Amino acid sequence: MKGKLLKQPTIPPKVEAAKDVSELAESMRYIGFQGRMLAAVVDVWSKMLKKENNVIWLGLAGAMVPAGMRRIISHLIRRRMIDVLVSTGANLYHDTFEALGGHHYLGSAHANDVQLRKNRVDRIYDIFADEDRFYRLDVWIQKKFAPMLVDNYPYSSREILHELGKMLQDKAKEKESIVLSAYNAKIPIFCPAFGDSSLGFSIMFANRMGRSIQVDYLKDVHESSLITQKAPKTGVIYLGGGVPKNFIQQTAVIASYQTRHDRSHDSAIQITTDMPIWGGLSGCTFEEAQSWGKIGPRAKMAVCYSDITIALPIVVNALNQRFPKLRRTVPEFTWENSGLELDFHSERL
Amino acid sequence: MKGKLLKQPTIPPKVEAAKDVSELAESMRYIGFQGRMLAAVVDVWSKMLKKENNVIWLGLAGAMVPAGMRRIISHLIRRRMIDVLVSTGANLYHDTFEALGGHHYLGSAHANDVQLRKNRVDRIYDIFADEDRFYRLDVWIQKKFAPMLVDNYPYSSREILHELGKMLQDKAKEKESIVLSAYNAKIPIFCPAFGDSSLGFSIMFANRMGRSIQVDYLKDVHESSLITQKAPKTGVIYLGGGVPKNFIQQTAVIASYQTRHDRSHDSAIQITTDMPIWGGLSGCTFEEAQSWGKIGPRAKMAVCYSDITIALPIVVNALNQRFPKLRRTVPEFTWENSGLELDFHSERL
Amino acid sequence: MKGKLLKQPTIPPKVEAAKDVSELAESMRYIGFQGRMLAAVVDVWSKMLKKENNVIWLGLAGAMVPAGMRRIISHLIRRRMIDVLVSTGANLYHDTFEALGGHHYLGSAHANDVQLRKNRVDRIYDIFADEDRFYRLDVWIQKKFAPMLVDNYPYSSREILHELGKMLQDKAKEKESIVLSAYNAKIPIFCPAFGDSSLGFSIMFANRMGRSIQVDYLKDVHESSLITQKAPKTGVIYLGGGVPKNFIQQTAVIASYQTRHDRSHDSAIQITTDMPIWGGLSGCTFEEAQSWGKIGPRAKMAVCYSDITIALPIVVNALNQRFPKLRRTVPEFTWENSGLELDFHSERL
Amino acid sequence: MKGKLLKQPTIPPKVEAAKDVSELAESMRYIGFQGRMLAAVVDVWSKMLKKENNVIWLGLAGAMVPAGMRRIISHLIRRRMIDVLVSTGANLYHDTFEALGGHHYLGSAHANDVQLRKNRVDRIYDIFADEDRFYRLDVWIQKKFAPMLVDNYPYSSREILHELGKMLQDKAKEKESIVLSAYNAKIPIFCPAFGDSSLGFSIMFANRMGRSIQVDYLKDVHESSLITQKAPKTGVIYLGGGVPKNFIQQTAVIASYQTRHDRSHDSAIQITTDMPIWGGLSGCTFEEAQSWGKIGPRAKMAVCYSDITIALPIVVNALNQRFPKLRRTVPEFTWENSGLELDFHSERL
């Protein structure tokens, strides 16, 4: 019994050994604590990429674009390391802002905020931005983007973001945009709290000026759950928790409800700083999710507790170096009427 | 200068001194760390209650109802210590579940989740629930509640929850329900990620069976921002962060945008375990919010870092004992067409 | 099986129900998350008090005295709700400071620290203090207290703190001092990182002026482990983690080593904000401690994640109201040569 | 003014751009949140290395050796990226254990701990170890190492650890040991809670068998503060908080006290998961330390909130790649009687 418990000794990494980020991540497989979990994230993601007919969901919480993660997320989309994106409105709004030439700035978390207000400078932790430039984007959404949408049609957020991606194809000054990359790669983006962002309220302003654009919560639920229902296998990756995590988890519940047997996700990754002990969904363990049937009983799972701005650059660089030319079966989504057709084809990433 | 810095000595509380919860909270005013912040939460909330023509928003994240907070929230509504509720779908779903006679159970955070799955027992940290009973509620929403709604009308989540409250008036076995209390007290509830819950997906199932019910994100944004725009003063209370916090904060941004001068919230409370250092909106300081004009430069503010299930019972018991018969000016909301009329009247709580 | 899992429904507390702090704590027994754990702390501590021939250790980390917890800890000592104290030097230094008439002041966590420095005001989170007054205490320790000690004798920290308590009996202006209360109640205090505080370095200054006072780490280990070895039962209470927690845990390891069979602690409480996931001893679970034999396999255990300045006032007030006149068997410690005699007698608290 | 606030735009890193770990760290300079702080840690450490006559302290908390960090710390010592080490006893004990051929094993944080106990397997979060092997080391310390020490001499922990290093020179099977590397590099190690570890209690057992070995807290304080007092400049690096952090901070207080003007540390780094908001010294900001004069008003400072097992491998690999052959002025320590002579010489690392 003791022999079974004590099988694989730790291997303390040597400093000289790691030449690149991929080797660094590999050297962390045999240590303890969250460092080991970081290596596990890379390994579970690798397995997800090699699995056939596997649809990979990415849930993206917080405001990762102001924090500089835009090109990394765009890379994941363009290299097809993910297949569906569920995001807060903030990430998509700030992505659009940067795509159209806007900038975020290095600031300080200890700034005098009342002073910042007087200068109309908005702070996101240690990042600053020019509120007048945000205002110009809000007006652009209201005056230029909203006219592309029709009235009295219940849009899903996916459809709205598809329209936005189409518009960015012409207008974007910076091509490594999340919304634009997803449009080009035909990857759906859902924004399940669409109203809860400048994107949402700027379109609402068009309504106050006489339009009647509608974005329907229920259609988002319908469309997203179709994906998990139709996919032979699903992997889920959560960067932070929040609504994106719950929304993706729930597609498994809905698919199970519809078919009356468990249609759980097959592999699962989370990078987060939310803790299980406070009882929230954001920080809950994948074990807890197994009790609900959201994650399968034999799923490969890795949770790493870390700020995303530390862990994500490492993980994605390591994956990129590990798979210089991966061939993967990627899903294609054809949305018609209120249905989805899901096909797979092999692609060199 | 030193004299100015060193004015009020700490007063270490004596154990015998506090006879009730209100006195306990008062004795914590002169200590340090989060204990002092707990006392500050009680004091700022007291000021909110005494302010004339002040609309008090409550943002409720997480799954506080399974954790036993239902009657406390219901008390806040019935005693008019809050005026508008913004909640996750989870709280409202679990509230409806308990209102209709369902139960959550004391469980363990260290359970064997694969075993729980086999028994169809769902776990929320250290709380268990019977999935088959949840399923019956899902069917009830789809088969009994959805028929109360009309097709092809863009509902706000507030309207849907008003309908649900009306239905609970007849059906509820347990009257201290959040949704029912809000209906009776004519307090609006918004659920800005409505699709992201069993409430949302169960109505969606009705659509899959032929209905076409619509719940419109943009209408939620419109209606909620009208409240802040029309209110002479607003106070905000955040239990946790998440979408409810951002959604309420954003009403100030929208109202400012509309009027082109800052219409910030006048006082602000947060009880949370989310930390500023990770850069997310959930954990960001009210100072950061001041840079955006969401919170006013002279607002009374109190943030207490604590699990809500510890802090909330103390705070609400303390308020209840402090104000046995408060007279308050409370807002009345009259929603017509797409407009809001906001009046105030004085009421003994 | 499902019936076994779903036995005790949650009982959401009513606000009006709790008349005092004890009733509030009781009402939290049937909720979820950390609120339930707070109730569990009160319940496990109650059991510790009722157990016969049980020695209760308190580990006190951090700087709880500047934060206003002095009288509460002193109350625990005077009412014999604990029997041995293990503390950081900071708590004992700041206790001595307040005992001699010094004050800590309400300050702000967002102060300009470079400005504070210019005024010789020291900050401990949101507490300020006058560095010149600290300096006078440092000189007092060096010039008045150190002369009470002999040279070239290997003191344990317990012996030093006993001498300090004796001196405070004459000098203290404020009687609810931790060091003084412990002296009067004949409760031993250990400070296992004695050098790591102003208390330690001020005595060292006497050595630089020609004395040769010695404080021996190994004697602390010897004396403390004798207590656990000789006690029929032991309960442990950790306020925070750090060296006090490890030091008390280790007494079980030493006692086991000495006797070659497990002499684990019988009941265990921790109130902390340290998380298990970072792998440190401060935040590790009592389950982990069971693998080491530090905590017994059938021990009653309660861990509550909370700031101590919130949880401790509630817990101690609740205990105080629950046991207005408890009769308890309390240990008496007789230290002679390098041995300990441990007796018990019954006492009305 | 706005122009001053908005100077340096963020530069979202491209995935392909980073070839090695050093380039990855550099690419994180222009992002937000903790990722930026990680880059700042590398940059401040780089500056420390280039500063002339600068003594670099490393404070090492927790149990980093069982988590696999031994060779990285040993590398820092051998390459002279640090000059003095202050550590918990745990790290030094587990280092000695591995040096003598012992192993830690990959385990699980969700193990059945009562089962582990039955097998005498000790758990440290997700690491397992064989308690019988620990026991053999405890006996070795008592029976083989303690005889190298003399009776009735007040040792500092530095002196004890020097003796241990000497003994490991013969006995160590694994040369990348922290204690051994420090011995070879003539780098002092302090263990300011020496009794609080198996190292301490195993020597105490020798005393119970008739020896009278003494380890003096006050001598540790004396010796350590001499270093800061005599060093022209000091940099401090804290991996975690705890006693090592406070002990190193305090050397500045003592040096200032001795000279009656501020002798603060000149540059400061911390990697930790301890939060400021709980008021403890472990998590307190360097700004707070500035109010005490522990850190200078113009010091270069970087705090990164991260698990050390994630951040440390990245930081040290990045430094190693950035400085393949740095020439540095390194301090030499000559301890005689109770005094210290401190010299510097230039060395190719």
Side-chain angles (χ1 to χ4, degrees):
Chain A
M1 178 67 185
K2 199 180 218 174
K4 276 194 186 167
L5 290 165
L6 307 174
K7 269 191 305 201
Q8 173 60 55
T10 59
I11 306 175
K14 281 175 178 284
V15 174
E16 297 81 3
K19 278 178 203 68
D20 62 14
V21 185
S22 171
E23 287 185 15
L24 177 68
E26 278 172 47
S27 78
M28 291 163 78
R29 270 185 196 145
Y30 301 103
I31 66 174
F33 305 179
Q34 299 307 316
R36 171 150 40 120
M37 291 304 108
L38 189 73
V41 165
V42 178
D43 289 342
V44 173
W45 201 329
S46 297
K47 288 205 179 83
M48 280 188 196
L49 292 172
K50 291 192 214 152
K51 220 176 239 184
E52 299 254 310
N53 300 331
N54 187 27
V55 174
I56 304 179
W57 289 87
L58 182 75
L60 183 64
M64 290 294 106
V65 169
M69 297 296 106
R70 174 174 49 82
R71 283 180 178 142
I72 294 176
I73 305 292
S74 160
H75 179 97
L76 290 174
I77 291 169
R78 284 178 288 116
R79 291 288 310 275
R80 285 309 290 262
M81 290 175 167
I82 62 166
D83 301 313
V84 194
L85 176 64
V86 179
S87 176
T88 56
N91 282 312
L92 306 171
Y93 175 83
H94 290 281
D95 174 75
T96 304
F97 179 70
E98 293 196 354
L100 294 172
H103 289 295
H104 296 91
Y105 295 85
L106 304 193
S108 160
H110 304 290
N112 179 330
D113 290 292
V114 170
Q115 205 63 40
L116 292 184
R117 180 79 218 123
K118 284 182 186 150
N119 287 278
R120 300 183 66 76
V121 167
D122 295 345
R123 180 166 74 85
I124 301 170
Y125 192 59
D126 59 358
I127 296 293
F128 291 165
D130 184 340
E131 189 172 300
D132 295 323
R133 298 294 301 265
F134 284 161
Y135 182 72
R136 277 154 64 179
L137 175 56
D138 297 345
V139 172
W140 183 88
I141 294 168
Q142 179 187 344
K143 301 277 171 69
K144 303 288 179 191
F145 175 60
M148 302 291 113
L149 304 174
V150 299
D151 281 351
N152 300 313
Y153 169 82
Y155 282 100
S156 66
S157 64
R158 179 193 63 78
E159 289 171 312
I160 297 266
L161 294 162
H162 181 81
E163 293 302 318
L164 183 60
K166 191 190 293 176
M167 194 151 177
L168 288 182
Q169 226 183 10
D170 289 342
K171 306 291 183 199
K173 296 176 181 166
E174 162 63 46
K175 299 299 179 189
E176 291 177 71
S177 143
I178 295 170
V179 174
L180 176 55
S181 302
Y183 177 80
N184 287 330
K186 299 194 176 67
I187 275 186
I189 305 180
F190 292 93
C191 179
F194 187 79
D196 185 51
S197 74
S198 304
L199 209 48
F201 78 65
S202 299
I203 299 177
M204 183 276 290
F205 276 123
N207 284 357
R208 285 199 182 164
M209 305 299 285
R211 300 291 309 280
S212 55
I213 300 165
Q214 293 162 20
V215 190
D216 185 11
Y217 290 100
L218 302 182
K219 198 166 180 185
D220 274 1
V221 179
H222 169 65
E223 289 186 354
S224 61
S225 60
L226 281 184
I227 295 176
T228 294
Q229 216 169 302
K230 300 210 162 188
K233 289 170 212 139
T234 45
V236 297
I237 299 165
Y238 301 123
L239 302 178
V243 168
K245 181 182 178 185
N246 192 61
F247 188 80
I248 297 173
Q249 292 290 68
Q250 147 179 304
T251 64
V253 175
I254 296 170
S256 303
Y257 183 107
Q258 192 73 27
T259 59
R260 299 305 294 145
H261 62 79
D262 281 6
R263 170 57 195 89
S264 314
H265 297 301
D266 304 286
S267 45
I269 288 169
Q270 185 167 15
I271 300 172
T272 192
T273 53
D274 295 313
M275 302 286 138
I277 54 158
W278 311 121
L281 193 284
S282 291
C284 85
T285 63
F286 285 134
E287 283 76 17
E288 180 173 319
Q290 288 179 318
S291 82
W292 294 77
K294 295 165 181 172
I295 303 291
R298 278 171 306 278
K300 296 277 174 207
M301 310 185 295
V303 178
C304 178
Y305 294 99
S306 168
D307 194 312
I308 293 158
T309 58
I310 291 177
L312 191 66
I314 302 170
V315 168
V316 179
N317 272 280
L319 284 172
N320 195 55
Q321 292 169 353
R322 188 177 292 182
F323 299 115
K325 30 182 146 181
L326 183 70
R327 183 166 281 283
R328 211 196 132 207
T329 55
V330 298
E332 278 167 77
F333 304 89
T334 316
W335 302 94
E336 39 195 29
N337 300 319
S338 64
L340 163 68
E341 203 175 302
L342 189 70
D343 300 301
F344 289 85
H345 69 275
S346 174
E347 198 175 300
R348 176 81 152 280
L349 305 190
Chain B
M1 178 66 184
K2 199 181 219 173
K4 275 194 188 170
L5 290 165
L6 306 176
K7 269 190 306 200
Q8 172 59 56
T10 58
I11 305 176
K14 280 176 179 285
V15 174
E16 296 81 4
K19 278 178 203 69
D20 62 12
V21 185
S22 172
E23 287 184 14
L24 177 69
E26 278 173 46
S27 78
M28 291 163 78
R29 271 187 196 142
Y30 301 103
I31 65 173
F33 304 1
Q34 299 307 315
R36 170 148 43 119
M37 292 303 109
L38 190 72
V41 164
V42 178
D43 289 342
V44 173
W45 201 329
S46 296
K47 288 205 178 79
M48 280 188 195
L49 291 174
K50 290 192 218 152
K51 218 176 241 184
E52 299 254 310
N53 301 331
N54 188 25
V55 175
I56 304 179
W57 289 87
L58 182 74
L60 184 64
M64 289 293 106
V65 169
M69 298 295 107
R70 175 173 50 80
R71 284 181 178 142
I72 293 177
I73 304 292
S74 162
H75 179 96
L76 290 174
I77 292 170
R78 285 179 288 117
R79 290 290 310 276
R80 284 310 291 261
M81 291 176 167
I82 62 166
D83 301 313
V84 194
L85 176 64
V86 179
S87 176
T88 55
N91 282 311
L92 305 172
Y93 175 83
H94 290 282
D95 174 75
T96 303
F97 179 70
E98 292 196 355
L100 293 173
H103 288 295
H104 296 90
Y105 295 85
L106 303 193
S108 158
H110 305 289
N112 179 332
D113 290 292
V114 170
Q115 204 63 40
L116 292 184
R117 181 80 218 122
K118 284 183 186 150
N119 287 279
R120 301 182 66 76
V121 167
D122 295 345
R123 181 166 73 84
I124 300 169
Y125 192 59
D126 60 358
I127 296 292
F128 291 165
D130 184 341
E131 188 173 302
D132 295 323
R133 298 295 300 265
F134 284 161
Y135 182 73
R136 277 154 63 180
L137 174 56
D138 297 346
V139 171
W140 184 88
I141 294 167
Q142 178 186 345
K143 302 276 171 70
K144 304 286 179 192
F145 175 60
M148 301 292 112
L149 304 173
V150 300
D151 280 353
N152 299 313
Y153 169 82
Y155 282 100
S156 66
S157 63
R158 179 192 63 77
E159 290 172 312
I160 296 265
L161 293 162
H162 181 81
E163 293 301 318
L164 183 60
K166 190 190 295 177
M167 194 150 178
L168 287 181
Q169 225 182 9
D170 289 342
K171 306 291 182 198
K173 295 177 183 168
E174 161 64 46
K175 299 299 178 189
E176 290 177 71
S177 144
I178 295 171
V179 173
L180 176 55
S181 302
Y183 177 81
N184 287 331
K186 298 195 176 68
I187 277 186
I189 305 179
F190 292 93
C191 179
F194 186 80
D196 185 51
S197 73
S198 305
L199 211 49
F201 78 64
S202 298
I203 299 177
M204 183 275 290
F205 276 123
N207 284 358
R208 284 198 182 163
M209 305 298 286
R211 300 293 307 279
S212 55
I213 300 165
Q214 292 162 21
V215 190
D216 184 12
Y217 290 100
L218 302 182
K219 199 166 181 185
D220 274 359
V221 180
H222 169 63
E223 289 187 354
S224 61
S225 60
L226 280 183
I227 295 176
T228 294
Q229 218 169 300
K230 301 210 161 187
K233 289 169 213 137
T234 45
V236 296
I237 299 165
Y238 302 123
L239 302 178
V243 167
K245 180 182 179 186
N246 193 61
F247 188 80
I248 296 173
Q249 292 289 69
Q250 151 178 299
T251 64
V253 175
I254 297 171
S256 303
Y257 183 107
Q258 193 72 27
T259 59
R260 296 306 293 146
H261 62 79
D262 281 4
R263 168 60 193 88
S264 314
H265 297 301
D266 303 287
S267 44
I269 286 170
Q270 184 167 16
I271 300 172
T272 192
T273 53
D274 294 313
M275 302 286 136
I277 54 158
W278 311 121
L281 192 285
S282 292
C284 85
T285 63
F286 285 135
E287 283 77 17
E288 180 173 319
Q290 289 179 317
S291 80
W292 294 77
K294 295 166 181 171
I295 303 290
R298 280 173 304 279
K300 296 278 175 208
M301 310 184 293
V303 178
C304 177
Y305 294 99
S306 169
D307 194 311
I308 292 159
T309 58
I310 291 178
L312 191 65
I314 302 171
V315 168
V316 178
N317 272 281
L319 285 172
N320 195 54
Q321 292 169 354
R322 187 177 292 183
F323 298 114
K325 29 184 148 181
L326 183 70
R327 184 166 280 284
R328 212 197 133 207
T329 56
V330 296
E332 279 167 77
F333 305 89
T334 315
W335 301 93
E336 38 196 28
N337 299 320
S338 65
L340 162 69
E341 204 177 301
L342 189 69
D343 299 302
F344 288 85
H345 68 275
S346 174
E347 198 174 300
R348 176 81 152 281
L349 303 190
Chain C
M1 177 68 184
K2 200 180 218 174
K4 276 194 187 170
L5 291 165
L6 306 175
K7 269 190 306 200
Q8 173 59 56
T10 59
I11 305 176
K14 281 177 179 284
V15 174
E16 296 82 3
K19 280 180 200 66
D20 62 13
V21 184
S22 172
E23 287 184 15
L24 177 69
E26 278 173 47
S27 78
M28 291 163 78
R29 270 186 196 143
Y30 301 103
I31 65 173
F33 304 1
Q34 298 307 316
R36 168 144 47 117
M37 292 303 108
L38 190 72
V41 165
V42 178
D43 289 341
V44 173
W45 202 328
S46 297
K47 287 205 179 80
M48 280 188 195
L49 292 173
K50 291 192 216 152
K51 220 177 240 184
E52 299 254 311
N53 301 330
N54 188 26
V55 175
I56 305 179
W57 289 86
L58 182 75
L60 183 64
M64 289 294 104
V65 170
M69 297 295 107
R70 175 174 49 79
R71 285 181 178 141
I72 294 177
I73 305 291
S74 162
H75 178 96
L76 291 174
I77 291 169
R78 286 178 288 116
R79 290 287 312 275
R80 285 309 291 262
M81 290 175 168
I82 63 166
D83 301 312
V84 195
L85 176 63
V86 180
S87 175
T88 55
N91 282 312
L92 306 171
Y93 175 83
H94 291 283
D95 175 75
T96 303
F97 179 71
E98 293 196 354
L100 293 173
H103 288 293
H104 296 90
Y105 295 85
L106 303 193
S108 159
H110 305 289
N112 179 332
D113 290 292
V114 171
Q115 204 64 38
L116 291 184
R117 180 81 217 121
K118 284 182 186 150
N119 288 279
R120 300 182 66 77
V121 167
D122 294 345
R123 181 166 73 84
I124 301 169
Y125 192 59
D126 59 359
I127 296 293
F128 290 165
D130 184 341
E131 188 172 302
D132 294 324
R133 297 294 302 264
F134 283 160
Y135 182 73
R136 278 153 63 180
L137 175 56
D138 297 345
V139 172
W140 184 89
I141 294 168
Q142 180 186 343
K143 301 276 171 68
K144 304 287 179 191
F145 175 60
M148 301 293 112
L149 305 173
V150 300
D151 281 352
N152 299 314
Y153 170 81
Y155 282 100
S156 65
S157 64
R158 179 192 64 76
E159 290 170 312
I160 297 265
L161 293 163
H162 180 81
E163 294 301 318
L164 183 60
K166 191 190 295 176
M167 193 150 180
L168 287 182
Q169 227 183 10
D170 289 341
K171 306 290 183 199
K173 296 176 182 166
E174 161 64 44
K175 300 299 179 190
E176 291 177 71
S177 144
I178 295 171
V179 174
L180 176 55
S181 302
Y183 176 80
N184 287 330
K186 299 194 176 67
I187 276 186
I189 306 180
F190 292 92
C191 178
F194 186 80
D196 185 51
S197 74
S198 304
L199 210 49
F201 78 65
S202 299
I203 299 176
M204 183 276 290
F205 277 123
N207 284 358
R208 284 198 183 165
M209 306 298 286
R211 299 291 309 280
S212 56
I213 301 165
Q214 292 161 20
V215 190
D216 185 11
Y217 290 100
L218 302 182
K219 199 166 180 184
D220 274 0
V221 180
H222 169 63
E223 289 186 354
S224 61
S225 60
L226 280 184
I227 295 176
T228 294
Q229 217 169 300
K230 300 210 162 186
K233 289 170 214 138
T234 44
V236 296
I237 299 166
Y238 301 122
L239 301 179
V243 167
K245 180 182 179 185
N246 193 60
F247 188 79
I248 297 173
Q249 292 289 70
Q250 151 178 298
T251 64
V253 175
I254 297 170
S256 303
Y257 183 108
Q258 193 73 24
T259 58
R260 298 306 294 145
H261 63 79
D262 281 5
R263 170 57 194 90
S264 314
H265 297 301
D266 304 288
S267 44
I269 287 169
Q270 185 167 16
I271 300 172
T272 192
T273 53
D274 295 312
M275 302 286 138
I277 55 159
W278 310 121
L281 192 285
S282 291
C284 85
T285 63
F286 284 135
E287 283 76 17
E288 179 173 320
Q290 289 179 317
S291 80
W292 293 77
K294 296 167 181 171
I295 303 291
R298 279 173 304 280
K300 296 277 174 208
M301 311 185 294
V303 178
C304 177
Y305 294 99
S306 169
D307 194 313
I308 292 159
T309 59
I310 290 178
L312 191 66
I314 302 171
V315 168
V316 179
N317 272 281
L319 284 172
N320 195 56
Q321 292 169 354
R322 188 177 293 184
F323 299 115
K325 29 182 146 182
L326 183 69
R327 184 165 280 284
R328 212 197 131 207
T329 55
V330 297
E332 278 168 77
F333 305 89
T334 315
W335 302 93
E336 38 196 28
N337 300 320
S338 65
L340 163 69
E341 204 176 303
L342 189 69
D343 299 302
F344 289 85
H345 68 274
S346 174
E347 198 175 301
R348 175 83 152 280
L349 304 190
Chain D
M1 179 66 185
K2 198 180 218 174
K4 274 194 187 167
L5 291 165
L6 306 175
K7 269 191 305 201
Q8 172 60 55
T10 59
I11 305 175
K14 281 175 178 286
V15 174
E16 297 81 2
K19 275 175 206 71
D20 62 14
V21 185
S22 172
E23 287 185 13
L24 178 68
E26 278 174 46
S27 78
M28 291 163 79
R29 271 185 195 144
Y30 301 103
I31 66 173
F33 306 179
Q34 299 307 317
R36 171 150 40 120
M37 292 304 109
L38 189 73
V41 165
V42 178
D43 289 342
V44 174
W45 201 329
S46 297
K47 288 205 179 82
M48 281 189 195
L49 292 173
K50 291 191 216 153
K51 220 177 240 184
E52 299 253 311
N53 301 331
N54 187 27
V55 175
I56 304 179
W57 288 87
L58 182 75
L60 183 64
M64 289 293 106
V65 169
M69 297 296 106
R70 174 174 49 81
R71 283 180 178 142
I72 293 176
I73 305 292
S74 161
H75 178 97
L76 290 174
I77 292 169
R78 285 177 289 116
R79 290 288 310 276
R80 285 308 291 262
M81 290 175 167
I82 63 167
D83 301 313
V84 194
L85 175 65
V86 179
S87 175
T88 56
N91 282 311
L92 306 172
Y93 175 83
H94 290 282
D95 174 75
T96 303
F97 179 70
E98 292 196 355
L100 294 172
H103 289 294
H104 296 91
Y105 295 85
L106 304 193
S108 159
H110 306 289
N112 179 331
D113 290 292
V114 171
Q115 204 62 40
L116 291 184
R117 180 81 218 121
K118 285 182 186 151
N119 287 279
R120 300 182 65 75
V121 167
D122 295 345
R123 180 166 74 84
I124 300 169
Y125 193 57
D126 59 358
I127 296 292
F128 291 165
D130 183 341
E131 189 173 301
D132 295 322
R133 297 295 301 265
F134 284 161
Y135 182 73
R136 278 154 64 180
L137 175 56
D138 297 346
V139 172
W140 184 88
I141 294 168
Q142 178 187 345
K143 302 275 171 71
K144 304 287 179 191
F145 175 59
M148 302 292 112
L149 304 174
V150 300
D151 281 351
N152 300 314
Y153 170 82
Y155 282 100
S156 66
S157 63
R158 179 193 63 78
E159 289 171 311
I160 296 266
L161 293 162
H162 180 82
E163 293 302 318
L164 183 59
K166 191 190 294 177
M167 192 149 179
L168 288 182
Q169 227 185 7
D170 289 342
K171 305 291 183 200
K173 295 176 182 167
E174 161 64 45
K175 300 298 178 190
E176 290 176 72
S177 144
I178 295 171
V179 174
L180 177 54
S181 302
Y183 177 81
N184 287 329
K186 298 194 176 67
I187 275 185
I189 306 179
F190 293 92
C191 178
F194 186 79
D196 185 51
S197 73
S198 304
L199 210 49
F201 78 65
S202 298
I203 298 176
M204 182 276 289
F205 276 123
N207 284 357
R208 285 200 181 162
M209 306 297 287
R211 300 291 309 279
S212 55
I213 301 165
Q214 293 161 20
V215 190
D216 185 11
Y217 289 101
L218 302 181
K219 199 165 181 186
D220 274 0
V221 180
H222 169 64
E223 289 186 354
S224 61
S225 60
L226 280 184
I227 295 177
T228 294
Q229 217 169 300
K230 301 211 161 187
K233 288 171 213 138
T234 44
V236 296
I237 299 165
Y238 301 123
L239 302 178
V243 168
K245 180 182 179 185
N246 192 61
F247 188 81
I248 297 173
Q249 293 290 68
Q250 148 178 301
T251 64
V253 175
I254 297 170
S256 303
Y257 183 108
Q258 192 73 24
T259 59
R260 297 305 296 147
H261 63 78
D262 282 4
R263 170 57 194 91
S264 314
H265 297 301
D266 304 287
S267 44
I269 287 169
Q270 185 167 15
I271 300 172
T272 192
T273 54
D274 295 313
M275 303 285 138
I277 54 159
W278 310 121
L281 192 286
S282 292
C284 85
T285 63
F286 284 135
E287 282 78 17
E288 179 173 319
Q290 288 179 318
S291 81
W292 294 77
K294 295 166 181 172
I295 302 291
R298 280 173 304 279
K300 296 278 175 208
M301 310 185 294
V303 177
C304 177
Y305 294 99
S306 168
D307 194 311
I308 292 159
T309 58
I310 290 178
L312 191 66
I314 301 171
V315 168
V316 179
N317 272 282
L319 284 172
N320 195 54
Q321 291 169 354
R322 188 177 292 184
F323 298 114
K325 30 182 147 182
L326 183 70
R327 183 165 281 283
R328 211 197 131 207
T329 56
V330 297
E332 278 167 78
F333 304 89
T334 315
W335 302 94
E336 36 195 30
N337 302 320
S338 64
L340 163 69
E341 204 176 300
L342 189 68
D343 299 301
F344 289 85
H345 68 275
S346 172
E347 198 175 300
R348 176 81 152 280
L349 305 190

